[in-house]
Amino acid sequence: MDRRAFLRSLAVGPFLVGLSPKGRVQARPPLRAERGGKSVVAQARDPSVWRDGQLVEGKVGELLDRAVAAAFGYRDPAEVWKQLVARGDRVGIKVNCLSGRRMSTNLPLVWAIIERLRGAGISANDIVVWDRLDADLEKAGYPVRRRGQGPRFCGNDSVGYYEGLFAVGEIGSLVSNVAVRDCDVLINVPVLKDHGIVGVTLALKNYFGAIHNPNKYHARCGDPYIADVNLIPALRQKTRLIICDALEAQCEGGPPFMPQWAWRYSALLVATDPVALDYVGWQIIETRRKEVGLPTLREAGREPTYILTAADAQHRLGVADMAKIEVVEG
């Protein structure tokens, strides 16, 4: 038995658990941001979301509402949230806090998401904000709260990994208990930024923070490993919404915060197709690189081809073709 067949054989048990961690069955198909056969990526921008170098919390909420409504073609974003989640759902919000306060998922955005989940009937006690490590959350300014009333904030090092190995394609990894065991719905909230090894880190790459061994999978610009991770059933099937924090973005030197390469894009991107969102985000970063005189990511030797792989016939995670993507302004 070769390595891939061996890993595939190990996947059977966890796959079943990932599909239905507590025997819950979805009552309706998930709401999709699609229009006319195209994946929709909504973008809402407003420079006034910044005032005196700080985010204006009310403006962040307004941007979120505009982007969510535009993505799904609803007038009232509250109705979208009621379609995305149902009372009794346990919801995990996957943030990206690796880079500290200036280049992580902004906490005011997370509170705005929590507020809208609660408005849709989700109990605060059924919400968990999570990332790799408690320390990552703390350095980004998040509270770490593993128990008690209200939303929990915790790292994989606190909640642990599901005991079975998930093996898909070229990867074999343990996956956070938040994704496999503790939540029915996931909301992926990455940051728009450059990555010094794999090109960019957006929605697909953010789920490297859900596995125990991402350090093994950065070779070849993360291709096909990042696409493979996103095939893990617990991640693929539970993710209902992607909200990309592009309030402050970075076009070079990531993932650490590099002020000389950061800029205030003042936007949120919303989609349900992670490949479409990553493809659009990649083009935004390429445009910025050109504006500031940097080579393209291909010329820099780190073109994020894993995004294209995620769209291929073996993965089918979404579309990486602007002819099949509709970008709408919120």
Side-chain angles (χ1 to χ4, degrees), residues 47-56 264:
S48 71
V49 73
W50 295 97
R51 183 183 302 156
D52 299 328
Q54 302 295 318
L55 284 171
V56 181
R264 287 180 178 160

Side-chain angles (χ1 to χ4, degrees), residues 178-193:
V178 173
V180 179
R181 183 194 67 190
D182 297 344
C183 289
D184 311 298
V185 173
L186 301 177
I187 298 175
N188 189 354
V189 193
V191 178
L192 181 71
K193 59 182 173 179

Side-chain angles (χ1 to χ4, degrees), residues 71-91:
F72 295 92
Y74 279 53
R75 296 188 64 176
D76 183 358
E79 291 302 314
V80 176
W81 288 100
K82 291 175 183 176
Q83 295 292 318
L84 289 170
V85 295
R87 191 181 302 275
D89 280 343
R90 302 163 302 166
V91 181

Side-chain angles (χ1 to χ4, degrees), residues 115-316:
E115 181 181 339
R116 281 143 186 83
L117 287 170
R118 297 201 62 191
I122 303 300
S123 167
N125 296 334
D126 287 334
I127 297 172
V128 55
V129 180
W130 61 293
D131 203 357
R132 294 186 321 147
L133 304 170
D134 285 351
D136 287 346
L137 292 165
E138 288 178 322
K139 70 183 179 183
Y142 286 61
V144 171
R145 189 161 58 211
R146 305 180 184 93
R147 58 185 63 86
Q149 297 298 307
R152 289 179 292 138
F153 294 76
C154 51
N156 296 332
D157 53 338
S158 290
V159 298
Y161 294 91
Y162 183 74
E163 61 187 5
L165 184 74
F166 286 83
V168 184
E170 299 290 329
I171 67 104
S173 299
L174 302 178
V175 179
S176 172
N177 275 324
V178 173
V180 179
R181 183 194 67 190
D182 297 344
C183 289
D184 311 298
V185 173
L186 301 177
I187 298 175
N188 189 354
V189 193
V191 178
L192 181 71
K193 59 182 173 179
D194 173 88
H195 191 286
I197 301 175
V198 305
V200 299
T201 171
L202 294 157
L204 296 165
K205 176 67 167 55
N206 197 31
Y207 276 151
F208 261 24
I211 63 174
H212 83 293
N213 55 352
N215 57 306
K216 292 179 61 178
Y217 300 125
H218 284 77
R220 304 199 301 269
C221 291
D223 189 8
Y225 312 114
I226 296 173
D228 289 346
V229 165
N230 281 268
L231 284 178
I232 293 172
L235 303 175
R236 182 179 191 179
Q237 297 174 3
K238 293 182 180 181
T239 301
R240 299 278 179 84
L241 188 64
I242 305 155
I243 302 166
C244 181
D245 184 340
L247 297 167
E248 186 166 29
Q250 186 167 313
C251 66
E252 173 74 0
F257 175 57
M258 296 283 184
Q260 67 272 37
W261 303 118
W263 85 106
R264 287 180 178 160
Y265 190 61
S266 306
L268 298 178
L269 307 178
V270 168
T272 55
D273 179 338
V275 185
L277 187 139
D278 277 21
Y279 192 79
V280 170
W282 171 14
Q283 307 317 309
I284 292 170
I285 288 175
E286 292 282 20
T287 298
R288 180 63 178 178
R289 291 178 63 86
K290 184 176 181 180
E291 289 173 350
V292 298
L294 290 169
T296 66
L297 288 169
R298 174 180 291 183
E299 292 167 343
R302 48 190 178 91
E303 184 180 29
T305 54
Y306 68 84
I307 297 174
L308 308 179
T309 298
D312 70 16
Q314 286 70 48
H315 293 82
R316 299 180 184 275

